[in-house]
Amino acid sequence: MKSKAYALFAAFWMCWAGASPVCAQSEKNSFNFDRHPPSRHYTANDGLPETAINWVMQDSRGFIWLATYDGLSKFDGYKFTTYKRNPGSANSLGNNVVNTLWEDHFGRLWVGHASGLDLFDPQTEEFHFLGPDPHSKGGVRKFRVRKDGKLWICAKGGVYIADTETLSIERMTGLQNDKYWDIAQARN
């Protein structure tokens, strides 16, 4: 039942977020991506992750990305490619529990996972660990773009501000060392 609820959430998110031409079905671990006929039904046999989907986004190149509890999956319109942690590689995904995604204006993916934050370069298909501070116990939950173009990073150990140009990351002071799930900027 839980998988069905996550599939339904993903279906709603994809249709709401404008990830056209996408419309999903709520069957367990499956999606139906409509392409003006014929439509195709995707399942785990096609590489669709068999786990909860935490975040769905479509990047500027048209790929659909799924942040899951078992890695980061990319759908190119025909097949799924899943990126997972490889302890033998310094440039693999830092943790398979991926919570959130965001694409910057350079086309790079910011990947928030249970151990922190990776930057994924789609040209080289390499991940680069950015933080936050290893003493914060990681756990990036959500990204929010600020009015000044910088990025808020909500994490288990606090809220961080990242400069997407320089890739510098600083912890916000004045907040408790707590879990932060989301943040918003007031008008003033």
Side-chain angles (χ1 to χ4, degrees), residues 169-180:
I169 299 174
E170 296 179 20
R171 189 173 189 281
M172 278 184 67
T173 57
L175 296 175
Q176 292 180 348
N177 189 11
D178 204 352
K179 295 177 184 174
Y180 290 89

Side-chain angles (χ1 to χ4, degrees), residues 7-64:
L8 193 57
F9 168 77
F12 169 78
W13 178 254
M14 288 175 145
C15 291
W16 177 78
S20 61
V22 175
C23 191
Q25 293 183 3
S26 62
E27 290 182 34
K28 185 177 180 179
N29 296 326
S30 66
F31 285 105
N32 183 23
F33 292 88
D34 289 330
R35 302 250 178 198
H36 308 293
S39 66
R40 171 88 158 68
H41 192 78
Y42 290 91
T43 67
N45 292 336
D46 300 298
L48 182 68
E50 290 190 77
T51 184
I53 298 171
N54 298 321
W55 196 264
V56 179
M57 66 159 275
Q58 185 173 20
D59 70 15
S60 59
R61 294 171 312 280
F63 296 114
I64 296 174

Side-chain angles (χ1 to χ4, degrees), residues 44 92 130:
S92 73
L130 295 181

Side-chain angles (χ1 to χ4, degrees), residues 125-188:
E125 293 201 349
E126 292 182 338
F127 293 86
H128 304 280
F129 185 74
L130 295 181
D133 180 346
H135 304 293
S136 73
K137 299 198 176 25
V140 172
R141 304 287 185 184
K142 193 161 207 173
F143 300 122
R144 289 285 184 187
V145 180
R146 296 174 13 151
K147 290 178 184 175
D148 63 3
K150 292 185 179 180
L151 186 67
W152 270 315
I153 302 168
C154 299
K156 281 185 180 177
V159 177
Y160 297 80
I161 301 170
D163 185 324
T164 60
E165 300 286 329
T166 65
L167 301 181
S168 66
I169 299 174
E170 296 179 20
R171 189 173 189 281
M172 278 184 67
T173 57
L175 296 175
Q176 292 180 348
N177 189 11
D178 204 352
K179 295 177 184 174
Y180 290 89
W181 296 88
D182 205 349
I183 194 166
Q185 186 168 356
R187 286 186 222 206
N188 59 0

Side-chain angles (χ1 to χ4, degrees), residues 117-131:
L117 169 65
D118 285 336
L119 188 66
F120 178 73
D121 182 344
Q123 302 299 320
T124 63
E125 293 201 349
E126 292 182 338
F127 293 86
H128 304 280
F129 185 74
L130 295 181

Side-chain angles (χ1 to χ4, degrees), residues 58-77:
Q58 185 173 20
D59 70 15
S60 59
R61 294 171 312 280
F63 296 114
I64 296 174
W65 294 88
L66 307 171
T68 77
Y69 282 117
D70 195 25
L72 176 63
S73 290
K74 175 177 74 172
F75 182 69
D76 66 4

